[in-house]
Amino acid sequence: MSEELLLIAGVVIGVLIIFRTYVRGARCKSKEKLHGKTVIVTGSNTGIGRATAVDLARRGARVILACRNQTRGEAAAAVVQSESGSKNVVYMQLDLASLKSVRSFAETFLRTERRLDILINNAGVYMQGTTEDGLGLMFGINHLGHFLLTNLLLDRLKQCSPSRIVTVSSYLHNYGNLDFDTLRTHKEFGVGESSRDVFRIYSHSKLCNVLFTHELAKRLQGTHVTCYSLHPGVINSDLGRNMNKMSRKLLKPIVALFFKDVEAGAQTTLYCAVQEGIEALSGRYFSNCAVKKLKAKAQDDAVAKKLWEVSETLSGLS
């Protein structure tokens, strides 16, 4: 074989490796069936949330699509039913930017549903704004709304154990830092409207997800309820819908070449939700269907406990 052919073969192999590792990614290989079990997936009207719901419905679960917009939520339920072949898929209204809505959702769910076996905290936003309760939008939706929802549903999860709580975070948590003085002053872990500011504030909210899971696992010891946080991969999803038009245009060719599609992006969520034998890894962080090491700041016991206590106060649990 000539040197030119060897070079071409090397490039092709390299591209295939990159595609398999970073674009296609690992797959959840579990064949676990979920007949008789109930799952909630937040933010499941689009993107990896909807792909996750389709897979879980195919496994036989009763799937609750917890979404803010009724029209989109009901349309998504029809899509999930069609793609999964299951009619046991329903929409329930949940606006994570409203603590009142979170409480209303939990009250309705607990009154109308007998079981909760898997809670998937999937919803997220990447944009500045303010919640109904005066909190920063990314802190309020990406962390605090899910914090309250999880706590309100914990007793039902314990009753149905073994059960799981899965929270979708991001690799970007590595760029986050929690300044509680800033939170006290601004009701958000950062301020500013620039692209850099938004990136940092989003990263802070994703660090909250990891620390929340770390502390939650401690509090769930002995209950047979386990919890996991994860990085889904870099996804060609609807999360960037709030970026400006120029940014989306510039990113489009990169997205097409290197970003996972939503089905691939759902695989680590599914792994944490159904994979057998990972109970001993409760509280850990996953990526590409495997447990990953965290930096010290993402497993800091003192910061995780303080975040929990502050979140209790802000959500009205204490």
Side-chain angles (χ1 to χ4, degrees):
M1 184 180 290
S2 69
E3 289 186 8
E4 184 177 349
L5 287 175
L6 282 171
L7 178 61
I8 292 172
V11 170
V12 169
I13 291 170
V15 169
L16 289 173
I17 291 172
I18 291 172
F19 178 82
R20 180 176 178 81
T21 303
Y22 296 103
V23 181
R24 183 175 182 274
R27 313 293 288 187
C28 175
K29 297 177 181 179
S30 172
K31 304 300 182 183
E32 182 78 4
K33 296 298 182 182
L34 300 173
H35 298 288
K37 297 189 175 183
T38 299
V39 182
I40 293 173
V41 186
T42 69
S44 41
N45 64 296
T46 188
I48 62 174
R50 193 171 73 189
T52 300
V54 169
D55 186 284
L56 296 172
R58 284 176 181 155
R59 294 172 186 267
R62 176 171 174 77
V63 179
I64 311 296
L65 306 185
C67 313
R68 178 181 61 84
N69 184 283
Q70 180 176 353
T71 301
R72 293 178 182 176
E74 290 176 347
V79 171
V80 174
Q81 288 179 6
S82 175
E83 293 186 3
S84 67
S86 170
K87 296 298 182 184
N88 205 7
V89 178
V90 297
Y91 158 77
M92 288 181 63
Q93 202 277 336
L94 169 66
D95 182 358
L96 288 160
S98 164
L99 297 176
K100 180 181 178 181
S101 175
V102 175
R103 291 182 180 278
S104 177
F105 172 90
E107 180 182 342
T108 300
F109 177 86
L110 293 172
R111 186 179 66 251
T112 59
E113 299 287 336
R114 294 186 306 105
R115 297 192 60 86
L116 179 57
D117 301 272
I118 303 171
L119 170 61
I120 299 180
N121 295 321
N122 165 81
V125 295
Y126 186 97
M127 63 180 292
Q128 280 288 53
T130 306
T131 71
E132 178 182 289
D133 305 283
L135 302 163
L137 195 65
M138 287 186 274
F139 172 71
I141 292 178
N142 298 355
H143 168 65
L144 196 67
H146 283 128
F147 173 88
L148 177 60
L149 178 67
T150 301
N151 276 281
L152 293 175
L153 299 177
L154 266 184
D155 285 344
R156 183 61 56 84
L157 285 158
K158 292 174 182 177
Q159 292 166 10
C160 299
S161 63
S163 53
R164 297 186 182 185
I165 300 162
V166 180
T167 299
V168 178
S169 180
S170 167
Y171 174 80
L172 296 182
H173 79 269
N174 287 298
Y175 300 98
N177 288 287
L178 303 190
D179 184 333
F180 290 97
D181 290 333
T182 299
L183 179 65
R184 189 179 305 111
T185 303
H186 299 284
K187 305 300 182 184
E188 176 61 278
F189 278 116
V191 293
E193 299 288 340
S194 71
S195 297
R196 179 179 293 183
D197 294 328
V198 175
F199 174 86
R200 286 176 175 169
I201 295 168
Y202 179 78
S203 301
H204 301 332
S205 74
K206 294 290 99 179
L207 178 58
C208 288
N209 295 153
V210 178
L211 288 167
F212 165 58
T213 300
H214 179 77
E215 178 67 15
L216 180 61
K218 292 184 176 184
R219 294 170 182 257
L220 291 175
Q221 288 179 4
T223 65
H224 302 292
V225 181
T226 53
C227 58
Y228 315 90
S229 63
L230 65 100
H231 169 56
V234 183
I235 312 300
N236 183 8
S237 73
D238 208 27
L239 184 64
R241 63 188 178 277
N242 297 305
M243 290 181 175
N244 63 57
K245 188 175 181 179
M246 180 59 70
S247 295
R248 292 199 305 272
K249 187 174 181 179
L250 290 172
L251 283 173
K252 190 172 182 179
I254 300 172
V255 167
L257 283 172
F258 296 110
F259 283 32
K260 290 181 179 180
D261 61 28
V262 292
E263 183 183 353
Q267 295 304 306
T268 303
T269 299
L270 293 167
Y271 181 91
C272 291
V274 303
Q275 182 64 43
E276 305 90 337
I278 65 170
E279 290 79 8
L281 298 173
S282 183
R284 301 290 297 276
Y285 170 80
F286 289 75
S287 179
N288 251 350
C289 297
V291 68
K292 301 296 181 182
K293 291 183 178 179
L294 287 167
K295 293 182 178 180
K297 68 179 178 181
Q299 49 188 335
D300 187 308
D301 291 340
V303 175
K305 183 180 179 183
K306 184 169 184 177
L307 175 64
W308 186 284
E309 292 170 347
V310 168
S311 299
E312 280 186 323
T313 300
L314 290 174
S315 63
L317 285 176
S318 64

